[in-house]
Amino acid sequence: MISALFAAGVLIVGIPYCLSVAGQWLHGLPSLPGYKKYLEAISPRRVYNLTVALLDLLSYFRYTNLYIQWKACYRSLNEASCVKDIQFGKNENRLDVYFPTAKGFDKSARLPALIYVFGGGWESGSRTMYCLLAQQLANDLNVVVICTDYSLYPKPTIGDIVQQINRSLFQIKEPQLRSVIKKCTIVDMVQDLIDCIGWTRDHGHSYGIDKEKVTLMGHSCGAHLCALTAMFLAGENEEIEIDTTKQRELLSSLKGIIGLSGVYHINDHYRHETWRGIEYVSAMCRVMKGEENFDRYSPATYISTLTKESTSRLPPFILLHGIKDKVVPVESSLRFSSALLVASVKETLHVLPDVDHTAIVMDLMDRNRSSYTTLHEHVRKELQNIYF
């Protein structure tokens, strides 16, 4: 009996500790000096919080049917409904173009384009996961939908693990270690999205797109990228490798930004990640090039640095956020909405009850999902206001 209880205790305590330490070892140990980072990594509070975060991921299993559907859907797509694997931009990313085929589609027509930018913590995700969403939006809204990839912060590889071990066990200095992975930053990701807008302007006519009617729509960190891209273009940011004339041209194409459960204030979100105990395993701080750059890459604070003339060129912002969102609290959109109002930028905020961080995007993939009608109606009405 005692041995059974001991074994159960080892499992209950040992498994969370092993998973927690492994995750931190791969993604980033606490940034504390010397042995203190290891003590913090195995502290009960941190292990508990990381275990809770891991258990939250199990909720994704409720979308198993959707996963099976989109895998089958993407394989079966034909060129009448979608053109896949189009290469674009400096970083040679790929995009897919979806047509509204339900009512018939003529490429000689000029329809608005909706560019969808997926979420995934700036380090995971793929355009192929959203084929169901793209088809629903294209057919229900009568727009051409572009699902795009963008540069992601790389996850640890075997080589990275070996480097970590060498660094820890043999005290090898960082300059002696060679890394074959380019650690992309937020600027690379914004550049990719700008390149996608540029591709839409340059090649959209071949796909039935009106290049002067482009809307960006993103979820979570994808919403952050959409908002920051518009801000960078409006401010003619020097970090973007495009001349100011071209930046103004690209911004003139944007007629709206739709954000679903977006991260708009990086400092606030970092505090939330710290409360959840995931700030070191999250890629956010590294993507933003350190805490000192949080305000620089936060749309909610960056907008205050723009001139009145710059903000006047920003398109309307449509923000949707679920009250039950535990990953990115609704306060993110509330605060960004206030910042837009102060800057006299047109915005609309929809706070949705009974919607969490995942449901706000997953429910747009299937008419039978509980929040589909509500979400679809908000998006449809806002697009009508933008284009008509």
Side-chain angles (χ1 to χ4, degrees):
M1 180 66 178
I2 295 177
S3 60
L5 290 174
F6 178 77
V10 169
L11 288 175
I12 293 172
V13 176
I15 291 176
Y17 263 86
C18 289
L19 292 174
S20 173
V21 171
Q24 293 179 83
W25 186 277
L26 291 174
H27 291 274
L29 290 166
S31 55
L32 297 173
Y35 68 90
K36 291 182 180 180
K37 63 183 175 183
Y38 301 108
L39 292 179
E40 175 61 23
I42 61 174
S43 68
R45 179 193 68 84
R46 186 165 296 279
V47 171
Y48 172 79
N49 286 335
L50 286 172
T51 301
V52 170
L54 182 62
L55 291 174
D56 284 342
L57 295 178
L58 298 178
S59 64
Y60 285 91
F61 281 108
R62 72 182 189 267
Y63 299 111
T64 300
N65 286 337
L66 276 178
Y67 172 81
I68 296 172
Q69 288 178 46
W70 73 250
K71 292 288 283 187
C73 171
Y74 194 76
R75 285 195 301 266
S76 64
L77 288 172
N78 56 58
E79 288 199 1
S81 60
C82 175
V83 179
K84 299 191 291 187
D85 295 322
I86 302 172
Q87 184 175 302
F88 74 96
K90 298 179 178 65
N91 294 319
E92 299 182 346
N93 285 292
R94 303 273 173 168
L95 60 80
D96 300 328
V97 182
Y98 293 81
F99 307 115
T101 55
K103 300 178 182 179
F105 176 67
D106 182 359
K107 289 185 180 179
S108 63
R110 291 290 177 262
L111 295 180
L114 189 151
I115 298 175
Y116 181 76
V117 186
F118 58 81
W122 299 274
E123 64 176 336
S124 64
S126 168
R127 73 186 191 281
T128 64
M129 297 169 61
Y130 298 92
C131 58
L132 293 174
L133 179 145
Q135 285 187 320
Q136 290 285 359
L137 293 176
N139 288 316
D140 290 351
L141 303 175
N142 197 37
V143 297
V144 177
V145 176
I146 298 171
C147 277
T148 181
D149 279 336
Y150 56 91
S151 299
L152 298 173
Y153 192 85
K155 292 185 177 180
T157 65
I158 295 298
D160 294 324
I161 297 172
V162 171
Q163 288 185 5
Q164 286 277 16
I165 294 172
N166 287 337
R167 191 180 304 120
S168 299
L169 298 181
F170 304 111
Q171 301 299 310
I172 297 177
K173 296 179 180 179
E174 188 67 31
Q176 295 175 267
L177 299 172
R178 295 188 302 169
S179 176
V180 296
I181 298 178
K182 177 181 181 290
K183 302 295 187 184
C184 68
T185 68
I186 189 66
V187 177
D188 298 304
M189 300 175 190
V190 169
Q191 183 69 57
D192 291 338
L193 190 46
I194 287 175
D195 286 346
C196 183
I197 300 169
W199 179 92
T200 304
R201 281 190 62 88
D202 295 340
H203 304 282
H205 61 277
S206 300
Y207 300 89
I209 292 172
D210 183 343
K211 68 177 184 179
E212 299 299 338
K213 292 184 177 180
V214 179
T215 298
L216 300 182
M217 180 179 186
H219 171 240
S220 193
C221 72
H224 167 263
L225 289 173
C226 291
L228 192 62
T229 296
M231 302 284 179
F232 271 27
L233 290 174
E236 298 172 359
N237 192 291
E238 294 181 356
E239 293 180 85
I240 302 302
E241 299 175 5
I242 303 176
D243 63 70
T244 56
T245 301
K246 184 66 173 179
Q247 288 193 43
R248 290 193 172 219
E249 181 183 284
L250 293 174
L251 183 62
S252 70
S253 294
L254 297 183
K255 296 300 182 283
I257 309 293
I258 302 175
L260 308 175
S261 297
V263 179
Y264 304 114
H265 196 291
I266 301 300
N267 236 322
D268 280 359
H269 194 63
Y270 188 71
R271 283 192 288 268
H272 180 63
E273 287 190 338
T274 302
W275 177 78
R276 295 179 66 207
I278 64 169
E279 74 274 26
Y280 296 117
V281 298
S282 166
M284 186 179 73
C285 186
R286 296 184 289 276
V287 169
M288 305 301 159
K289 300 187 286 187
E291 295 180 47
E292 64 274 15
N293 291 306
F294 281 179
D295 283 347
R296 180 177 181 81
Y297 299 126
S298 297
T301 54
Y302 188 87
I303 192 171
S304 64
T305 68
L306 298 178
T307 65
K308 188 173 182 179
E309 189 275 333
S310 295
T311 57
S312 69
R313 293 186 285 112
L314 283 170
F317 284 75
I318 299 95
L319 311 178
L320 294 89
H321 216 121
I323 290 178
K324 289 189 174 182
D325 195 329
K326 296 179 181 179
V327 178
V328 182
V330 68
E331 285 75 17
S332 175
S333 288
L334 293 174
R335 185 165 183 179
F336 187 38
S337 173
S338 297
L340 290 169
L341 283 172
V342 169
S344 300
V345 176
K346 186 176 181 181
E347 59 80 39
T348 307
L349 173 64
H350 299 282
V351 177
L352 310 170
D354 302 320
V355 176
D356 63 22
H357 191 71
T358 312
I360 201 168
V361 63
M362 292 296 191
D363 282 11
L364 277 171
M365 296 185 182
D366 185 350
R367 291 174 177 272
N368 296 318
R369 305 292 303 181
S370 59
S371 301
Y372 174 84
T373 301
T374 301
L375 290 165
H376 172 263
E377 280 303 302
H378 283 314
V379 174
R380 183 184 62 81
K381 288 179 180 178
E382 295 298 344
L383 285 180
Q384 281 185 332
N385 292 336
I386 289 172
Y387 294 130
F388 308 107

